[in-house]
Amino acid sequence: MMDLSLAFDPSRERDYARDLARAFGGALLFSLPLLMTMELWWFGFILSPLRLAIFLLVGLPLLLGLALYAGFSKQHGGLGHALLDTLAALAVGYLTAAVVLTLFGVLEPGAPPGQIVGQLSLQAIAGAMGALLAGRQLSAGKDDTGDEDQASYPGELFLMVAGALFLGLNMAPTEEMILIAYRMSAFHVAALLVLSLVIMHAFVFKVGFAGQEAHDRPLAAFVHYTLAGYGLVLLTSLYVLWVFGRTDGHGLAEIVDAAVVLAFPGAIGAAAARLLV
């Protein structure tokens, strides 16, 4: 017979309850700017079901990667526990969004179910990211869930994408991204791109990325981390702009300009990913 003392460990359950509470705090911390952004409320019910589905499907492997990297629970055990953490984080993200948007009066009682699901789903990914990273962000230096310095080169690039997406989701829904791109000349766009690379390269050597070890090979570090990372940031920016319909009806030059504008905060988020995630 199964030993019930092994099935139920009060100390383990208390730890998990504490981690879960911290996950809600992380979800609120990460998603509050989005929860208070009017454009996200509207996109929740005007966004096409296809784009919303793609947004969720792309978000799932991202969340799984963050669960493997961190996870909100200390009870790690490989892919199985990472999957459970991912599902729990999604539930935390949805519940946090539902409570806050209800309190804000955004969720209308008589609204169609599709509208409510759309509004919650756009918010839940950011909330789930915060839930998974709560152990690192809210532990005050205690109970770290892993050793940050052990990330491989693909792992470093993955963290850059996560950092870029974190800031990109906060800005891509707003009209200002398109307005700024419209007001900029080709010189401004090129200068912003160069500035993004400079800031990104400076950050890489200050926040613990593996490229920090390559001071004796600055060109290799620039190519492998800064340039590769910025390329991923641009792709992430294009993806987020597409999700929110910011590329619809615009020419190639306008789309590139908007991507470079969004990639500016995205590059900072990517380069500071070790601090953000």
Side-chain angles (χ1 to χ4, degrees):
M1 295 179 62
M2 183 177 63
D3 188 350
L4 293 180
S5 64
L6 295 177
F8 180 79
D9 183 349
S11 176
R12 183 185 61 190
E13 299 304 323
R14 283 195 299 269
D15 286 344
Y16 188 80
R18 182 193 61 186
D19 293 338
L20 193 59
R22 190 155 48 188
F24 276 99
L28 189 61
L29 177 65
F30 266 60
S31 62
L32 191 58
L34 294 175
L35 291 167
M36 302 185 74
T37 299
M38 182 180 65
E39 287 88 349
L40 259 294
W41 307 344
W42 290 99
F43 276 122
F45 58 87
I46 67 174
L47 204 62
S48 71
L50 175 62
R51 295 195 188 197
L52 183 60
I54 291 175
F55 178 72
L56 291 175
L57 289 175
V58 171
L60 288 176
L62 173 76
L63 295 176
L64 181 59
L66 289 177
L68 287 168
Y69 171 69
F72 67 80
S73 170
K74 294 188 298 180
Q75 301 171 21
H76 287 299
L79 183 60
H81 276 278
L83 285 170
L84 291 176
D85 271 1
T86 300
L87 294 176
L90 270 174
V92 169
Y94 272 102
L95 186 56
T96 301
V99 171
V100 174
L101 291 181
T102 298
L103 290 176
F104 288 166
V106 175
L107 294 183
E108 302 172 4
Q115 174 180 324
I116 295 176
V117 170
Q119 288 178 312
L120 294 180
S121 296
L122 282 179
Q123 308 281 357
I125 295 297
M129 289 177 64
L132 289 169
L133 299 168
R136 292 179 179 272
Q137 297 296 324
L138 304 179
S139 62
K142 302 181 293 182
D143 301 332
D144 289 334
T145 55
D147 185 358
E148 299 179 39
D149 297 327
Q150 292 180 352
S152 62
Y153 176 65
E156 300 283 9
L157 296 181
F158 168 79
L159 291 180
M160 287 186 175
V161 171
L165 189 61
F166 168 65
L167 287 185
L169 283 176
N170 283 277
M171 300 180 184
T174 64
E175 293 284 352
E176 284 77 7
M177 294 300 101
I178 302 301
L179 177 61
I180 292 171
Y182 175 77
R183 295 174 64 90
M184 294 174 68
S185 66
F187 171 79
H188 291 130
V189 172
L192 185 62
L193 190 153
V194 172
L195 178 61
S196 300
L197 285 170
V198 170
I199 294 176
M200 193 172 183
H201 194 62
F203 265 72
V204 163
F205 290 100
K206 293 298 181 181
V207 296
F209 273 81
Q212 195 173 16
E213 302 166 359
H215 275 297
D216 56 334
R217 295 184 301 154
L219 181 59
F222 178 80
V223 172
H224 291 158
Y225 290 91
T226 305
L227 204 57
Y230 187 73
L232 292 174
V233 170
L234 278 176
L235 290 176
T236 302
S237 300
L238 281 171
Y239 161 71
V240 176
L241 288 169
W242 174 81
V243 166
F244 293 112
R246 297 305 186 189
T247 60
D248 296 351
H250 295 287
L252 178 61
E254 296 168 317
I255 293 173
V256 170
D257 291 351
V260 172
V261 170
L262 184 58
F264 177 58
I268 296 173
R274 284 298 189 85
L275 303 178
L276 294 173
V277 303

